[in-house]
Amino acid sequence: MSLTGTPFFLTSIVLLLIAVALPLALWGRIPGPRLARGALRLVMLLFAQVTAITLVFVLVNNANNLYDTWDDLLGTGSHVQAAQDLGPDGLGGRQIKNEPRQVQPFRPADDPKLGPEVQMTDLKGRISGVSGEVYVWLPPQYHDPAYRNTKFPVVEVLPGYPGSAKAWFGSLNADEQLRPMMLNGEVKPFILVAPRTNLVTGSDTGCVNIPGKVNADSWLTVDVRQMVIDTFRASDHARSWALAGYSAGAHCAAKLALSHPDRYHAGIAMSGYNDPASEHSSLAGKDPKLRIESNPLHILKSANAAGKPPRTALYVSGASGDGYQAGLGLRQLAQPPTSVTVRQIPSDAGGHTSVVWREQVPEIFRWLSQHVTA
């Protein structure tokens, strides 16, 4: 039974109703010694508590797309087949242009709540050694004959931790919000790509490469990116690619965009942070060297010192204490051609929740339309 499916949701409701009905019907009718009656009543109360907690968990999980599968929840899944040392460029001495094309077969998304336009595939990363699902939504213009020769810009959308790859199409409703905006020309027709980011049991990867552990950076910026270029009419120019994320995904979006200006031109960071140790489960935050090297402030400062400020545009939003100061720090360091736009979210807007990030979707894609070209 699927963790996020309707059958499990309905089952949890039925079990809670039974758990409430049992003590009402049987409390005074339980036969036997006093100790046995007390034990059975305690069991009924515990059953009611467990079913109530289960239903609350299901409601929260389905609303926020935290865990996709039982494997994700229980930590029994494996998505890392190998984690070789791929070097500073994340390619391990290989050249993407010399690799054979990796055209993936796609199928309708396995969650009917996402709608018929979201499709998915199971990708085995040839460079990273990571395997996982990738969801793709194509803009309404993609199948329009007038655009048959057009290569489209792409945005990789990243969730927080824990988080499901389909969260941007689920709790954030990005596709539903953007479709009419694309049709009326308010925003550009972007391809949205949502790769799995929950790769290591019980840990946030911080979107870094760790030899022997996981190559999360190369998974997102090399394998997923190239698969999209090979499979769809997607531009391969850095100026046509962007990353967008919230919470832990915001940290990843800023870090990856600044680290790979040859692959991405823009990054969106909503309610994120610069120091990876801000996420207590971050593998990068627990490693003293990686903690420094994967901090967007350090990446930008190092590039500036080398006389090579990245040709990267960042949009950072957040409330005070929840991303806003991180954006101010980046903006203070930015030197042309780097640019950083910072927006402060009111502290009473809804906190660190999908409600806040969902409401920003139209605005961030208007901004992307001005900074990302086809």
Side-chain angles (χ1 to χ4, degrees):
M1 189 180 294
S2 170
L3 176 64
T4 59
T6 301
F8 181 62
F9 173 59
L10 294 177
T11 298
S12 64
I13 294 176
V14 171
L15 289 176
L16 178 59
L17 293 175
I18 293 173
V20 172
L22 279 176
L24 292 175
L26 303 177
W27 193 266
R29 301 180 183 181
I30 300 175
R34 181 176 180 180
L35 183 61
R37 294 199 306 273
L40 286 174
R41 286 168 179 165
L42 179 60
V43 168
M44 287 192 293
L45 291 176
L46 290 175
F47 179 53
Q49 289 290 324
V50 169
T51 54
I53 292 171
T54 299
L55 180 58
V56 171
F57 165 77
V58 171
L59 290 170
V60 172
N61 188 58
N62 288 353
N64 294 281
N65 296 117
L66 300 176
Y67 298 98
D68 260 351
T69 66
W70 290 104
D71 283 341
D72 288 341
L73 177 63
L74 302 176
T76 56
S78 177
H79 297 276
V80 181
Q81 279 63 54
Q84 300 176 354
D85 188 343
L86 299 177
D89 64 356
L91 292 169
R94 298 162 71 173
Q95 296 292 326
I96 287 294
K97 64 182 180 181
N98 297 330
E99 298 290 323
R101 293 184 67 205
Q102 188 171 15
V103 179
Q104 283 287 117
F106 274 76
R107 62 185 185 276
D110 54 9
D111 187 341
K113 293 192 292 291
L114 300 187
E117 295 179 338
V118 179
Q119 50 189 314
M120 67 179 296
T121 190
D122 298 308
L123 177 65
K124 291 184 177 181
R126 295 179 296 185
I127 303 294
S128 66
V130 170
S131 295
E133 68 273 21
V134 180
Y135 295 86
V136 169
W137 180 81
L138 301 173
Q141 289 89 340
Y142 190 87
H143 298 293
D144 186 334
Y147 289 81
R148 62 182 177 276
N149 296 319
T150 298
K151 288 191 174 182
F152 292 83
V154 183
V155 183
E156 281 188 56
V157 291
L158 311 175
Y161 176 83
S164 162
K166 61 190 179 187
W168 278 77
F169 306 122
S171 55
L172 267 62
N173 300 126
D175 52 327
E176 294 182 11
Q177 294 192 70
L178 294 175
R179 180 181 174 82
M181 297 177 70
M182 291 180 183
L183 286 173
N184 66 25
E186 190 175 350
V187 301
K188 288 180 178 177
F190 292 98
I191 296 174
L192 304 188
V193 179
R196 167 176 280 272
T197 56
N198 190 3
L199 305 176
V200 179
T201 299
S203 296
D204 168 37
T205 67
C207 297
V208 297
N209 284 355
I210 305 176
K213 188 72 172 180
V214 62
N215 287 322
D217 184 323
S218 295
W219 161 248
L220 296 170
T221 69
V222 179
D223 287 325
V224 171
R225 185 179 186 279
Q226 191 60 42
M227 179 276 291
V228 172
I229 292 170
D230 289 344
T231 305
F232 300 98
R233 296 198 313 278
S235 173
D236 61 353
H237 295 291
R239 65 175 183 268
S240 299
W241 279 76
L243 299 129
Y246 59 85
S247 193
H251 168 75
C252 286
K255 169 208 173 281
L256 296 175
L258 290 170
S259 298
H260 303 290
D262 59 327
R263 302 171 196 172
Y264 304 92
H265 177 61
I268 299 287
M270 298 186 290
S271 305
Y273 46 83
N274 289 324
D275 183 356
S278 299
E279 168 52 63
H280 65 87
S281 298
S282 171
L283 295 176
K286 294 176 181 177
D287 183 297
K289 186 171 182 286
L290 281 175
R291 179 179 178 181
I292 296 173
E293 292 178 347
S294 61
N295 187 319
L297 289 172
H298 173 79
I299 296 169
L300 189 52
K301 190 179 299 183
S302 298
N304 291 343
K308 298 179 179 179
R311 190 174 295 278
T312 305
L314 294 180
Y315 178 101
V316 184
S317 67
S320 180
D322 189 24
Y324 177 63
Q325 283 76 14
L328 293 179
L330 289 167
R331 188 172 68 184
Q332 186 175 5
L333 286 177
Q335 299 178 9
T338 308
S339 66
V340 179
T341 300
V342 182
R343 182 200 167 193
Q344 184 171 13
I345 302 298
S347 57
D348 60 352
H352 197 79
T353 65
S354 57
V355 173
V356 173
W357 306 319
R358 182 170 57 242
E359 291 180 352
Q360 294 180 65
V361 168
E363 179 181 343
I364 64 175
F365 274 86
R366 291 189 192 99
W367 183 90
L368 283 169
S369 295
Q370 297 174 1
H371 291 84
V372 178
T373 61

